[in-house]
Amino acid sequence: MQGHPHSEQESPKDAYAKFNGTAPIPVWSAHERVRLNRGGNRAVNSALHAIATTQVARGGPGGDYVAKQQAAGKTKREAVRLLRRRVSDRVFQVLRTIESSIENRTQGPLSAAA
């Protein structure tokens, strides 16, 4: 597969973002624009959207992030999309932590005796 543009293996975090629909799709006619990914698991994407909009409405760290992105010239829609990807990355990090704690628990002293 030499010369294939996607020959590098994507990171698990990026694969999770593609799975849940928060990975941006580049717009080939523009250099810095991306469009919304309509694919992915819609239930997970809906939950991430609910988390992001709640953070914006309640003025938490998500609201600060959106305000910062808007000050940088992004529209509110683009800023919320970026926040949703950021929330996706955080959820992935938590899932990995839970997964490793479960693996550690199953490799405890009782599993060694079996």
Side-chain angles (χ1 to χ4, degrees):
M1 286 235 257
Q2 290 181 343
H4 191 270
H6 300 291
S7 60
E8 308 95 37
Q9 186 176 1
E10 61 186 20
S11 73
K13 180 177 73 170
D14 293 338
Y16 181 71
K18 188 183 269 187
F19 162 76
N20 64 36
T22 59
I25 299 173
V27 176
W28 298 114
S29 61
H31 294 289
E32 296 184 19
R33 303 292 293 192
V34 293
R35 67 182 176 88
L36 179 64
N37 183 351
R38 300 267 181 213
N41 187 315
R42 302 313 300 157
V44 175
N45 190 285
S46 178
L48 293 171
H49 181 75
I51 293 168
T53 54
T54 301
Q55 284 189 6
V56 171
R58 306 254 172 151
D64 297 340
Y65 181 76
V66 168
K68 179 181 166 186
Q69 291 299 319
Q70 285 181 300
K74 302 283 185 193
T75 65
K76 185 167 185 175
R77 175 178 270 178
E78 290 172 326
V80 170
R81 180 185 53 76
L82 291 169
L83 174 61
R84 198 167 53 239
R85 172 59 192 260
R86 196 171 186 177
V87 169
S88 169
D89 292 347
R90 178 69 179 125
V91 167
F92 179 75
Q93 182 183 20
V94 170
L95 288 173
R96 293 289 295 250
T97 303
I98 291 170
E99 180 184 43
S100 66
S101 70
I102 289 172
E103 287 176 0
N104 289 341
R105 224 179 298 152
T106 60
Q107 295 175 0
L110 294 179
S111 64

